[in-house]
Each structure stands twice: as structure tokens, then as C-alpha cells.
Amino acid sequence: MEMKKLTIVMWIILLIAVVMLSKAFILNEDIKMFLLIFFGIGSALAFLRLFVNNSIKKMKGKDWKVKVLFFAVLLGFGLPFQSWFRNEVLFSMDSAYLAGSISMLVVGMVFMTLFVGYVKNKLQAKVAGKQRIVKYTS
């Protein structure tokens, strides 16, 4: 049942993105390119968040020096990029575009996070099904 809820929410989020983009392109609004760009940025941030979370899970049992190096590199790249994005992109944008762009960023992040979880669950179910078949035939 949980997978069905995930699928429904994922499709609703995708529908929101498509409606926002369609409205912008049909009405030829100036924000249309910002919406596309911020959906892409949101999707990339979702992948980055999933990668970092997966990497942190793999840190168990590693030497403390490896953990410190990982977080130093993560913060060394992440903090300057975050500061640049906030100051040079968000603060310099026209305030009329800001709400829609940030909304699309969040929609991209949520959609891609749910989509990756959906694909991962499907692949795990497929692998588990093949393992059951192999187990029964052996």
C-alpha cells in the first residue's frame, strides 16, 4: 500500500510541475526559462542529497580521518556554492520570478527524490522476485 501512495504523490508532484511549465509556455511568460532551470537544479540537488545520504551511511566503520576528510570536502564545496547561489542568483533575481522559481526548485527536488525511491523499490522487488524463482528451482 505504501508504494501506491508514493506513486500517487509522485504523479501529483509531476503534474504540478507540468502545469506550471505549461502555463508559462502557453502564456509566453518571461519566467518560463527560470522554471525549467530551477526544475533542473532541484532535480540535481535531489540526486546530490541522495548521494550524500548514501555516502554518510557508508561511513560507519571507517577511520575518523576518512570521515573528517569527507565532511571537509563536502563543506568545502557545499558552503561556497550555497553562498554563491544565494547571493548571486537568488538575491539578484527579479522578485516577481522568485516565488515561482523557488516553488519549481522544491517541486524538482521532491519529484526526483520520490522518483529515485520509486525506481529503487521497483528494482529491489524485481531482484527479490528473481531470487525467489532461483531459490524454488534449485
Side-chain angles (χ1 to χ4, degrees), residues 74 92 111 113:
L74 185 65
S92 65
F111 172 74
T113 300

Side-chain angles (χ1 to χ4, degrees), residues 59 63-77:
M59 285 292 146
D63 187 41
W64 69 271
K65 294 174 189 172
V66 173
K67 292 177 184 177
V68 168
L69 179 64
F70 172 77
F71 286 105
V73 169
L74 185 65
L75 292 173
F77 285 113

Side-chain angles (χ1 to χ4, degrees), residues 2-16:
E2 186 66 33
M3 187 70 165
K4 192 170 186 170
K5 289 179 186 176
L6 174 73
T7 307
I8 291 169
V9 171
M10 183 179 66
W11 282 106
I12 290 170
I13 294 293
L14 182 61
L15 183 65
I16 291 169

Side-chain angles (χ1 to χ4, degrees), residues 29-125:
E29 297 174 345
D30 293 335
I31 194 173
K32 62 187 170 194
M33 292 312 292
F34 286 110
L35 294 179
L36 282 172
I37 291 168
F38 275 78
F39 185 81
I41 292 170
S43 299
L45 287 173
F47 280 124
L48 179 64
R49 187 185 67 79
L50 292 169
F51 169 75
V52 169
N53 285 351
N54 192 34
S55 297
I56 289 172
K57 287 179 186 174
K58 291 180 180 179
M59 285 292 146
K60 292 181 180 172
K62 300 273 184 186
D63 187 41
W64 69 271
K65 294 174 189 172
V66 173
K67 292 177 184 177
V68 168
L69 179 64
F70 172 77
F71 286 105
V73 169
L74 185 65
L75 292 173
F77 285 113
L79 290 178
F81 178 76
Q82 178 188 9
S83 177
W84 169 82
F85 187 76
R86 183 180 57 245
N87 293 331
E88 301 300 323
V89 177
L90 294 179
F91 288 161
S92 65
M93 281 181 74
D94 184 359
S95 60
Y97 301 155
L98 200 55
S101 297
I102 291 176
S103 298
M104 190 56 87
L105 180 97
V106 171
V107 165
M109 285 179 68
V110 172
F111 172 74
M112 201 50 68
T113 300
L114 294 175
F115 181 73
V116 168
Y118 174 80
V119 170
K120 185 177 175 182
N121 287 341
K122 285 288 188 185
L123 289 174
Q124 286 176 345

